[in-house]
Amino acid sequence: GYDNNYHADELSYLYVSNLESFDDYDWLNNEGSDHYGFYRAKIGHIFLLHQIIDILGDGKASFFYISFIYALLVLVSIFIAYMILKELLDDKTKARLIAIFIAFLPVTLFISYKMLSEVTALIMGAFSILFLLYGLKRDSLPIKGIFYLISAYFLFLAAISRLDAPIIFFSFAISLFFLKKFEAKRLFYSIISISLIFMFILTIFV
């Protein structure tokens, strides 16, 4: 077994993700199942794991490589954090130093190689924030709209990876009002636009 090497939730995700028929199990379709709510709230994360296992297989060696992939996802998240900070601070040096600090936070080190829904939600939420900032800095309405559409799509991916993940986006977006880097009216309409697109995508796919 893998009990000594993996977090308990990782084992649960790996088991569910490794089911031969992803769509035909009580945990997904039966609301009376004990696990329905827990796994349904993380369906995007489980689906990603399912696809990776389909490619790499389900042996112990494969699980090592999957952990490595998730470690890379954390590194990408840190890089996105750097990009976000660069947009906010307009100072590459400060952004780089803060990103390095984030990389060595205990929580970052803890999740850095674990196959947890927090990792998937984090990277999707970070992308959503980055494209919000890109949109805020553009004056062209079509380009702004494209960035907001992409932001909303990543917000959707974050939400299906972990149900509480949108908190990351909305907490950050609200904090921008206090930073006063962007005009309040522009920021307000940007958040509303992304929220409406996000809810529209949810109604289509969920």
Side-chain angles (χ1 to χ4, degrees):
Y2 310 104
D3 292 2
N4 294 327
N5 300 317
Y6 294 92
H7 187 279
D9 285 352
E10 288 181 279
L11 298 176
S12 299
Y13 295 141
L14 286 168
Y15 169 73
V16 173
S17 302
N18 197 34
L19 296 174
E20 290 183 6
S21 179
F22 190 71
D23 297 320
D24 297 330
Y25 286 82
D26 285 345
W27 66 269
L28 179 61
N29 297 311
N30 181 6
E31 294 189 28
S33 168
D34 292 338
H35 304 295
Y36 177 85
F38 179 80
Y39 293 122
R40 188 77 180 185
K42 301 172 177 68
I43 189 67
H45 169 66
I46 293 170
F47 181 75
L48 175 62
L49 266 179
H50 180 74
Q51 300 305 311
I52 295 174
I53 290 172
D54 270 355
I55 296 171
L56 297 179
D58 60 358
K60 192 169 183 178
S62 297
F63 291 166
F64 170 81
Y65 291 120
I66 296 171
S67 294
F68 180 72
I69 290 172
Y70 272 76
L72 290 178
L73 290 179
V74 173
L75 288 176
V76 173
S77 298
I78 293 168
F79 178 74
I80 299 169
Y82 161 73
M83 297 294 290
I84 291 169
L85 290 163
K86 189 174 67 169
E87 292 294 318
L88 283 177
L89 302 174
D90 296 318
D91 187 321
K92 290 184 179 181
T93 302
K94 287 183 181 179
R96 192 177 298 117
L97 289 173
I98 297 173
I100 292 171
F101 174 76
I102 292 171
F104 289 97
L105 286 173
V107 65
T108 308
L109 296 174
F110 176 75
I111 67 170
S112 61
Y113 59 93
K114 290 182 170 61
M115 296 169 273
L116 297 174
S117 60
E118 287 84 350
V119 175
T120 314
L122 178 64
I123 190 169
M124 299 305 171
F127 269 122
S128 182
I129 290 169
L130 181 61
F131 283 102
L132 163 65
L133 293 176
Y134 284 162
L136 282 168
K137 289 195 169 185
R138 299 305 187 279
D139 292 321
S140 169
L141 192 58
I143 295 175
K144 185 188 295 287
I146 291 171
F147 281 132
Y148 290 164
L149 180 62
I150 296 172
S151 176
Y153 181 67
F154 276 113
L155 183 58
F156 164 73
L157 293 178
I160 63 171
S161 297
R162 188 175 176 88
L163 193 59
D164 55 1
I167 294 173
I168 299 171
F169 173 85
F170 289 108
S171 297
F172 180 89
I174 291 171
S175 72
L176 291 177
F177 285 104
F178 299 96
L179 290 177
K180 298 181 178 179
K181 184 177 178 66
F182 303 101
E183 181 188 359
K185 185 178 179 180
R186 174 187 287 230
L187 180 56
F188 175 77
Y189 283 122
S190 298
I191 296 171
I192 293 299
S193 299
I194 292 171
S195 299
L196 290 174
I197 299 170
F198 167 62
M199 288 187 288
F200 178 73
I201 296 173
L202 278 178
T203 60
I204 294 175
F205 293 101
V206 177

